Amino acid sequence: MNAAAAPAVKRKRGWLPRSMASRLYLILFAGLALAHTLSFGLLFYERYVTATSMMLGNLELDARTAVAVIDRLPADERAQWLPQFKRRTYHYILGPGEPGTPQLSERAQDISRLIGGVLGSRYPIRTETVEQRPERFQVHLTLSDGRPLTIEVMPSTMPIAQWLPYVLAAQLALLVLCAWLAVRLATRPLEQLAQAAQSLSPGGAGQRLGETGPTEVAQAASAFNAMQDRIAAYLRERLQILASISHDLQTPITRMRLRTEAMDESPERARLLDDLAQIQHLVREGVDYARSAHSSAEAAIRLDLDAFLDSVVCDYQDTGKAVTLSGRAGAPLVARAHALRRVATNLIDNAVKYAGAAEVEVTPDRGGFRIDVLDRGPGIPAEELDAVMQPFYRLESSRNRDTGGTGLGLAIAQQLALSLGGRLSLSAREGGGLRASLWLPAQGRE
């Protein structure tokens, strides 16, 4: 199965984060924090209403009692009793108090009416605002002996306990922990599914998912495992069909070749032999392509990549091919040797075939290695760089094996690169020619 490069999906940018985990974090934490904020808001409002109601109730009782007691005490004893009537939100002052303005808030008006109703017509009152922030106002009245008395009111709610901010911080931390746990439980199966899909092997040797957890997750894992088994079965069936076709074709091809060779020398005999060689080569390449999807049957070993590539290049140089090697990997590679050799030879053969020479470069790259095969041939048009990876695709319509080929060399290399856990890409070389880049992870697929 040839994995063609999928076109990049354009994502619309919005205000939401791109990953599902980040979105769930945002939604869960924002929702819980908003609910928590509303809860605290209602709590503080209820606290404000309750405190105001308690203050008014206490003031109603205290004002009547305190004014009556102070009015009946001798003038020189009144100051000693004032601390007895002092409260957090109001206290009594012997004297005219501070000058203020008659503009009162709605709350000050309610409290003033309450005090006036409690004291009655015996003690006429006058209320003035002294400060607005924080609110402070004074109620002025005159005692029976003509001396002034001032009730200073500072309405406020009960102060917040010192431990309350710590409780709030602990609750927010608990919200974050719960949101993280919920998101982790929700997205972890998706991460495992994505990793299993990326490691999906045409030979059926990919990662299998555990069919445990919630019902939906278990069903998705079971469906994925079944899909992987079906893909492997289809590919094995394809390989068996191609192998059978190859086996059945080999016998008549061999008979035809023997009969042709027994013919007298003639131009028709040479053309027939050439056609039979092309047919035999095409059958062999088709079977090789099918088998490339099942190259995982080979065990991965630890390779000295520099020595490995040097031996491949030396084999070409021994036959008089202009193939050179430059660069150093400088580290070992874990990979399947025969599959890697087939990829390298396919790329080098392609370069030698169309350019007469090949340059092999190896460099460490992003936790792995990059092997570049460069040539100065005619190159490939940019719009066909992906298409040439498809099986039986050829840039020219000629069926001559020396020019057009079978169209399977790059497809086999691409298939094997995927089975090794790597990537094969083609690009135009600066100055003319083609660059075939093979990236391999340092730890290949076992």
Side-chain angles (χ1 to χ4, degrees):
M1 181 174 62
N2 183 43
V9 179
K10 294 183 178 178
R11 296 182 176 89
K12 294 182 178 179
R13 292 186 177 180
W15 60 272
L16 285 174
R18 292 182 61 178
S19 69
M20 178 180 290
S22 299
R23 293 185 179 190
L24 288 176
Y25 281 134
L26 178 62
I27 293 172
L28 285 176
F29 182 74
L32 292 173
L34 180 60
H36 204 62
T37 302
L38 290 175
S39 176
F40 262 84
L42 291 174
L43 177 64
F44 279 109
Y45 177 74
E46 190 274 337
R47 183 189 182 98
Y48 166 78
V49 171
T50 302
T52 301
S53 177
M54 290 180 60
M55 183 189 70
L56 293 177
N58 293 337
L59 182 59
E60 182 178 10
L61 295 174
D62 283 3
R64 178 187 298 114
T65 304
V67 171
V69 171
I70 293 173
D71 192 23
R72 285 171 173 74
L73 286 172
D76 56 349
E77 296 182 9
R78 290 172 180 171
Q80 301 175 7
W81 282 83
L82 291 183
Q84 305 296 326
F85 304 114
K86 184 178 180 179
R87 301 293 183 265
R88 185 182 63 83
T89 55
Y90 58 89
H91 61 275
Y92 299 87
I93 302 174
L94 295 175
E98 302 178 30
T101 61
Q103 296 179 353
L104 303 177
S105 65
E106 184 176 352
R107 181 167 56 177
Q109 293 177 12
D110 292 339
I111 295 175
S112 178
R113 284 193 294 269
L114 175 66
I115 295 175
V118 169
L119 298 180
S121 57
R122 182 177 178 182
Y123 302 100
I125 64 172
R126 173 175 52 86
T127 306
E128 294 180 344
T129 299
V130 178
E131 286 186 56
Q132 293 184 347
R133 292 184 181 276
E135 185 177 14
R136 183 165 65 94
F137 60 90
Q138 294 181 343
V139 179
H140 305 280
L141 58 98
T142 304
L143 299 174
S144 301
D145 58 0
R147 296 176 182 269
L149 178 65
T150 300
I151 306 175
E152 185 171 81
V153 183
M154 299 160 292
S156 63
T157 57
M158 292 291 292
I160 298 177
Q162 294 182 354
W163 49 263
L164 191 57
Y166 298 101
V167 173
L168 178 60
Q171 289 177 334
L172 290 176
L174 184 60
L175 288 180
V176 172
L177 179 61
C178 291
W180 176 85
L181 182 61
V183 171
R184 181 65 176 169
L185 291 175
T187 58
R188 188 173 183 181
L190 293 178
E191 294 176 359
Q192 293 175 342
L193 180 61
Q195 293 172 359
Q198 290 174 353
S199 65
L200 182 62
S201 171
Q207 174 185 353
R208 299 187 67 82
L209 296 177
E211 301 176 10
T212 58
T215 304
E216 296 80 3
V217 174
Q219 290 176 349
S222 177
F224 180 85
N225 292 335
M227 178 193 70
Q228 188 170 215
D229 293 338
R230 286 195 297 271
I231 291 174
Y234 294 153
L235 291 173
R236 285 193 296 270
E237 182 181 359
R238 183 183 71 170
L239 177 60
Q240 291 172 357
I241 292 173
L242 287 175
S244 299
I245 292 174
S246 174
H247 180 270
D248 293 340
L249 286 175
Q250 289 291 344
T251 301
I253 290 173
T254 302
R255 288 199 302 263
M256 292 171 65
R257 188 177 185 87
L258 291 173
R259 290 171 182 171
T260 304
E261 290 176 347
M263 295 171 60
D264 295 334
E265 291 289 339
S266 65
E268 288 77 10
R269 176 181 178 275
R271 283 195 290 269
L272 285 173
L273 289 174
D274 185 67
D275 289 340
L276 289 172
Q278 289 189 45
I279 294 173
Q280 196 167 27
H281 179 67
L282 180 61
V283 170
R284 188 181 301 112
E285 287 289 292
V287 174
D288 287 342
Y289 174 71
R291 287 174 176 169
S292 67
H294 296 264
S295 63
S296 58
E298 178 190 355
I301 61 174
R302 190 179 182 87
L303 291 174
D304 183 337
L305 185 57
D306 294 317
F308 177 84
L309 292 176
D310 184 65
S311 68
V312 173
V313 171
C314 285
D315 289 342
Y316 282 93
Q317 292 174 347
D318 291 342
T319 59
K321 302 292 177 61
V323 180
T324 60
L325 175 64
S326 62
R328 285 189 58 81
L333 170 72
V334 177
R336 291 184 283 274
H338 293 295
L340 180 56
R341 181 177 290 273
R342 182 64 189 271
V343 177
T345 54
N346 276 21
L347 297 179
I348 296 174
D349 286 344
N350 191 68
V352 171
K353 178 179 181 180
Y354 290 101
E359 303 170 30
V360 181
E361 297 179 356
V362 57
T363 54
D365 181 48
R366 293 172 297 172
F369 306 98
R370 191 179 77 246
I371 303 171
D372 292 325
V373 179
L374 306 98
D375 63 59
R376 289 297 182 185
I380 299 175
E383 62 274 11
E384 295 190 87
L385 287 173
D386 291 333
V388 295
M389 298 284 194
Q390 303 295 331
F392 300 105
Y393 184 90
R394 290 175 290 188
L395 290 174
E396 56 176 298
S397 59
S398 170
R399 291 186 179 273
N400 189 307
R401 73 169 182 265
D402 293 329
T403 56
T406 62
L408 285 173
L410 288 175
I412 293 174
Q414 165 80 337
Q415 192 77 274
L416 290 172
L418 291 174
S419 72
L420 290 168
R423 294 188 301 272
L424 177 62
S425 61
L426 303 178
S427 60
R429 184 182 182 186
E430 186 177 352
L434 184 69
R435 175 189 294 269
S437 298
L438 172 65
W439 180 86
L440 295 171
Q443 296 292 329
R445 290 177 178 174
E446 297 294 337

